[in-house]
Amino acid sequence: MSSLLFTPLQLRGVTLKNRIAVSPMCQYSCEDGFANDWHFVHLGSRAVGGAGLVLFEASGVTPEGRISPQDLGIYKDEHVAPLARIVKFIHEHGSVAGIQIAHAGRKASKTPPWDGDKAVAPVAGGWVPEAPSAVAFDDQSTIPTALDAAGIQRVIRAFADATDRAKAAGFRVVEIHGAHGYLLHEFLSPLSNQRTDEYGGSYDNRVRLIREVTRAVRQRWPEDLPLFVRLSATDWVEGGWTLDDSIRLARLLKEDGADLIDCSSGAIIPGVKIPAGPSYQVPLSAGVREHAGIATGAVGFIQSAFQAESILRTGQADLVLLARELLRDPYWPLHAAQELHAQVAWPKQYARAQH
């Protein structure tokens, strides 16, 4: 029986050679948002390793939209050339390059995780974060500035301008980051959005910004190239964003021009007990796929070839995104093909190791 994992996936005018994607993973290794040799080797090796789609890490659409001062950026034209160098290599090796464009909201201006994920003060090279409401993520975080109407329009323009830069760099997929407690998710969840204007309160008001961003990005992104949106499909806490909310939003985002919903979860507030384990988020992907009628990606503790194959074969997702497993093994797709008896070409430089 042929492997679905190694069946091509067509989205608009782009065909992925298989259904394995490198999930966006922050490397906290930049200066002023510029990609460098670390990113070239890190991302390029995953293309050599056989992934069908290589998604670059969350890239700030504004300087203030970065999670840390060391994050990748796509907020100025000078960022394009070093990104384009990596994109070219990825495409030369048969994978598709995509980029996640993001604004970290109230979770911005932090140190890298290995330095404690602490707030970085403006005097130390950080900044005051922006958010829907002037409510900090936790006691160790800076109280953010609530975006006013002009600030919201500035954010929408920044996402649109970042899309132009993604096109100039040669990317063939753009993913809007609407998950993990960052800005767009902060507007969605009643746990973080305390606004009383047209961007707060009712469901329609809370989804307004992500829909406006999606439409603005779709308008700038070529018609033949696919657009993804990553959502935290549930907050895992009573009174928060739910799977039903995500299904309803996915239908709207499909109307707005999205092609795939990348279904993650959580991270809107600290201290939530999440039932994490192998495939724990797959039911979220399955629910959105079934009830919203849109392609989905599943992510979260997907570790084995047979696990990934099962997710696809049971109709729970169209694409599987791997993070930690691809950190452990950049060549996971090549090894998975061997396990599933799928015939895939190895890089000719490595062919002697195939058998």
PDB file of all heavy atoms in Angstrom, residues 32-35 73-84 165:
ATOM      1  N   ASP A  32      19.468  42.298  14.735  1.00  0.00           N
ATOM      2  CA  ASP A  32      18.628  43.236  13.976  1.00  0.00           C
ATOM      3  C   ASP A  32      17.751  42.523  12.951  1.00  0.00           C
ATOM      4  O   ASP A  32      17.484  43.050  11.879  1.00  0.00           O
ATOM      5  CB  ASP A  32      19.496  44.303  13.307  1.00  0.00           C
ATOM      6  CG  ASP A  32      18.687  45.469  12.761  1.00  0.00           C
ATOM      7  OD1 ASP A  32      17.560  45.705  13.246  1.00  0.00           O
ATOM      8  OD2 ASP A  32      19.168  46.146  11.818  1.00  0.00           O
ATOM      9  N   GLY A  33      17.349  41.295  13.266  1.00  0.00           N
ATOM     10  CA  GLY A  33      16.409  40.582  12.414  1.00  0.00           C
ATOM     11  C   GLY A  33      16.997  39.889  11.211  1.00  0.00           C
ATOM     12  O   GLY A  33      16.261  39.276  10.428  1.00  0.00           O
ATOM     13  N   PHE A  34      18.312  39.939  11.026  1.00  0.00           N
ATOM     14  CA  PHE A  34      18.919  39.398   9.814  1.00  0.00           C
ATOM     15  C   PHE A  34      19.194  37.901   9.925  1.00  0.00           C
ATOM     16  O   PHE A  34      19.790  37.439  10.903  1.00  0.00           O
ATOM     17  CB  PHE A  34      20.235  40.126   9.509  1.00  0.00           C
ATOM     18  CG  PHE A  34      20.045  41.475   8.869  1.00  0.00           C
ATOM     19  CD1 PHE A  34      19.952  42.616   9.656  1.00  0.00           C
ATOM     20  CD2 PHE A  34      19.930  41.596   7.497  1.00  0.00           C
ATOM     21  CE1 PHE A  34      19.767  43.863   9.076  1.00  0.00           C
ATOM     22  CE2 PHE A  34      19.739  42.837   6.901  1.00  0.00           C
ATOM     23  CZ  PHE A  34      19.653  43.974   7.693  1.00  0.00           C
ATOM     24  N   ALA A  35      18.786  37.162   8.890  1.00  0.00           N
ATOM     25  CA  ALA A  35      19.175  35.753   8.781  1.00  0.00           C
ATOM     26  C   ALA A  35      20.670  35.670   8.542  1.00  0.00           C
ATOM     27  O   ALA A  35      21.277  36.561   7.939  1.00  0.00           O
ATOM     28  CB  ALA A  35      18.415  35.092   7.633  1.00  0.00           C
ATOM     29  N   GLY A  73      13.589  38.805  11.480  1.00  0.00           N
ATOM     30  CA  GLY A  73      12.680  39.886  11.113  1.00  0.00           C
ATOM     31  C   GLY A  73      12.446  39.938   9.622  1.00  0.00           C
ATOM     32  O   GLY A  73      13.258  39.457   8.827  1.00  0.00           O
ATOM     33  N   ILE A  74      11.314  40.538   9.269  1.00  0.00           N
ATOM     34  CA  ILE A  74      11.017  40.790   7.866  1.00  0.00           C
ATOM     35  C   ILE A  74      10.351  42.162   7.775  1.00  0.00           C
ATOM     36  O   ILE A  74       9.401  42.386   7.039  1.00  0.00           O
ATOM     37  CB  ILE A  74      10.167  39.637   7.263  1.00  0.00           C
ATOM     38  CG1 ILE A  74      10.117  39.735   5.740  1.00  0.00           C
ATOM     39  CG2 ILE A  74       8.795  39.542   7.927  1.00  0.00           C
ATOM     40  CD1 ILE A  74       9.624  38.483   5.042  1.00  0.00           C
ATOM     41  N   TYR A  75      10.908  43.089   8.570  1.00  0.00           N
ATOM     42  CA  TYR A  75      10.314  44.418   8.719  1.00  0.00           C
ATOM     43  C   TYR A  75      11.047  45.508   7.939  1.00  0.00           C
ATOM     44  O   TYR A  75      10.663  46.672   8.000  1.00  0.00           O
ATOM     45  CB  TYR A  75      10.209  44.799  10.194  1.00  0.00           C
ATOM     46  CG  TYR A  75      11.453  44.609  11.021  1.00  0.00           C
ATOM     47  CD1 TYR A  75      12.467  45.563  11.032  1.00  0.00           C
ATOM     48  CD2 TYR A  75      11.615  43.477  11.816  1.00  0.00           C
ATOM     49  CE1 TYR A  75      13.605  45.397  11.796  1.00  0.00           C
ATOM     50  CE2 TYR A  75      12.752  43.305  12.592  1.00  0.00           C
ATOM     51  CZ  TYR A  75      13.742  44.266  12.579  1.00  0.00           C
ATOM     52  OH  TYR A  75      14.865  44.091  13.349  1.00  0.00           O
ATOM     53  N   LYS A  76      12.097  45.132   7.220  1.00  0.00           N
ATOM     54  CA  LYS A  76      12.747  46.116   6.358  1.00  0.00           C
ATOM     55  C   LYS A  76      13.305  45.418   5.128  1.00  0.00           C
ATOM     56  O   LYS A  76      13.593  44.219   5.143  1.00  0.00           O
ATOM     57  CB  LYS A  76      13.832  46.884   7.100  1.00  0.00           C
ATOM     58  CG  LYS A  76      14.925  46.070   7.755  1.00  0.00           C
ATOM     59  CD  LYS A  76      15.848  47.012   8.535  1.00  0.00           C
ATOM     60  CE  LYS A  76      16.937  46.268   9.275  1.00  0.00           C
ATOM     61  NZ  LYS A  76      17.795  47.191  10.062  1.00  0.00           N
ATOM     62  N   ASP A  77      13.462  46.191   4.060  1.00  0.00           N
ATOM     63  CA  ASP A  77      13.832  45.608   2.780  1.00  0.00           C
ATOM     64  C   ASP A  77      15.202  44.941   2.814  1.00  0.00           C
ATOM     65  O   ASP A  77      15.449  43.988   2.061  1.00  0.00           O
ATOM     66  CB  ASP A  77      13.811  46.687   1.690  1.00  0.00           C
ATOM     67  CG  ASP A  77      12.409  47.199   1.401  1.00  0.00           C
ATOM     68  OD1 ASP A  77      11.436  46.539   1.830  1.00  0.00           O
ATOM     69  OD2 ASP A  77      12.280  48.270   0.766  1.00  0.00           O
ATOM     70  N   GLU A  78      16.083  45.414   3.679  1.00  0.00           N
ATOM     71  CA  GLU A  78      17.425  44.843   3.766  1.00  0.00           C
ATOM     72  C   GLU A  78      17.405  43.383   4.240  1.00  0.00           C
ATOM     73  O   GLU A  78      18.385  42.648   4.057  1.00  0.00           O
ATOM     74  CB  GLU A  78      18.308  45.683   4.689  1.00  0.00           C
ATOM     75  CG  GLU A  78      18.667  47.054   4.141  1.00  0.00           C
ATOM     76  CD  GLU A  78      17.549  48.077   4.297  1.00  0.00           C
ATOM     77  OE1 GLU A  78      16.509  47.752   4.917  1.00  0.00           O
ATOM     78  OE2 GLU A  78      17.722  49.204   3.799  1.00  0.00           O
ATOM     79  N   HIS A  79      16.315  42.949   4.857  1.00  0.00           N
ATOM     80  CA  HIS A  79      16.208  41.559   5.305  1.00  0.00           C
ATOM     81  C   HIS A  79      16.040  40.583   4.137  1.00  0.00           C
ATOM     82  O   HIS A  79      16.257  39.376   4.295  1.00  0.00           O
ATOM     83  CB  HIS A  79      15.012  41.387   6.247  1.00  0.00           C
ATOM     84  CG  HIS A  79      15.206  42.017   7.592  1.00  0.00           C
ATOM     85  ND1 HIS A  79      14.173  42.592   8.301  1.00  0.00           N
ATOM     86  CD2 HIS A  79      16.311  42.160   8.358  1.00  0.00           C
ATOM     87  CE1 HIS A  79      14.643  43.053   9.449  1.00  0.00           C
ATOM     88  NE2 HIS A  79      15.936  42.804   9.507  1.00  0.00           N
ATOM     89  N   VAL A  80      15.637  41.085   2.977  1.00  0.00           N
ATOM     90  CA  VAL A  80      15.257  40.202   1.873  1.00  0.00           C
ATOM     91  C   VAL A  80      16.432  39.383   1.351  1.00  0.00           C
ATOM     92  O   VAL A  80      16.324  38.163   1.153  1.00  0.00           O
ATOM     93  CB  VAL A  80      14.599  41.013   0.735  1.00  0.00           C
ATOM     94  CG1 VAL A  80      14.424  40.146  -0.515  1.00  0.00           C
ATOM     95  CG2 VAL A  80      13.257  41.573   1.191  1.00  0.00           C
ATOM     96  N   ALA A  81      17.570  40.020   1.111  1.00  0.00           N
ATOM     97  CA  ALA A  81      18.690  39.326   0.453  1.00  0.00           C
ATOM     98  C   ALA A  81      19.185  38.100   1.229  1.00  0.00           C
ATOM     99  O   ALA A  81      19.330  37.019   0.639  1.00  0.00           O
ATOM    100  CB  ALA A  81      19.834  40.305   0.192  1.00  0.00           C
ATOM    101  N   PRO A  82      19.435  38.190   2.541  1.00  0.00           N
ATOM    102  CA  PRO A  82      19.886  36.973   3.241  1.00  0.00           C
ATOM    103  C   PRO A  82      18.815  35.895   3.321  1.00  0.00           C
ATOM    104  O   PRO A  82      19.143  34.702   3.338  1.00  0.00           O
ATOM    105  CB  PRO A  82      20.285  37.476   4.631  1.00  0.00           C
ATOM    106  CG  PRO A  82      19.675  38.819   4.780  1.00  0.00           C
ATOM    107  CD  PRO A  82      19.528  39.377   3.413  1.00  0.00           C
ATOM    108  N   LEU A  83      17.544  36.282   3.339  1.00  0.00           N
ATOM    109  CA  LEU A  83      16.477  35.284   3.280  1.00  0.00           C
ATOM    110  C   LEU A  83      16.457  34.609   1.911  1.00  0.00           C
ATOM    111  O   LEU A  83      16.317  33.389   1.807  1.00  0.00           O
ATOM    112  CB  LEU A  83      15.121  35.949   3.556  1.00  0.00           C
ATOM    113  CG  LEU A  83      14.872  36.460   4.969  1.00  0.00           C
ATOM    114  CD1 LEU A  83      13.589  37.287   5.022  1.00  0.00           C
ATOM    115  CD2 LEU A  83      14.787  35.314   5.968  1.00  0.00           C
ATOM    116  N   ALA A  84      16.612  35.413   0.863  1.00  0.00           N
ATOM    117  CA  ALA A  84      16.558  34.879  -0.506  1.00  0.00           C
ATOM    118  C   ALA A  84      17.659  33.860  -0.752  1.00  0.00           C
ATOM    119  O   ALA A  84      17.458  32.884  -1.491  1.00  0.00           O
ATOM    120  CB  ALA A  84      16.659  36.028  -1.508  1.00  0.00           C
ATOM    121  N   ARG A 165       7.791  41.563   1.007  1.00  0.00           N
ATOM    122  CA  ARG A 165       9.191  41.141   1.170  1.00  0.00           C
ATOM    123  C   ARG A 165       9.327  39.627   1.037  1.00  0.00           C
ATOM    124  O   ARG A 165      10.327  39.145   0.486  1.00  0.00           O
ATOM    125  CB  ARG A 165       9.723  41.635   2.523  1.00  0.00           C
ATOM    126  CG  ARG A 165       9.763  43.150   2.625  1.00  0.00           C
ATOM    127  CD  ARG A 165      10.371  43.660   3.915  1.00  0.00           C
ATOM    128  NE  ARG A 165      10.162  45.102   3.990  1.00  0.00           N
ATOM    129  CZ  ARG A 165       9.271  45.703   4.778  1.00  0.00           C
ATOM    130  NH1 ARG A 165       8.542  44.979   5.619  1.00  0.00           N
ATOM    131  NH2 ARG A 165       9.128  47.002   4.752  1.00  0.00           N
TER     132      ARG A 165
END
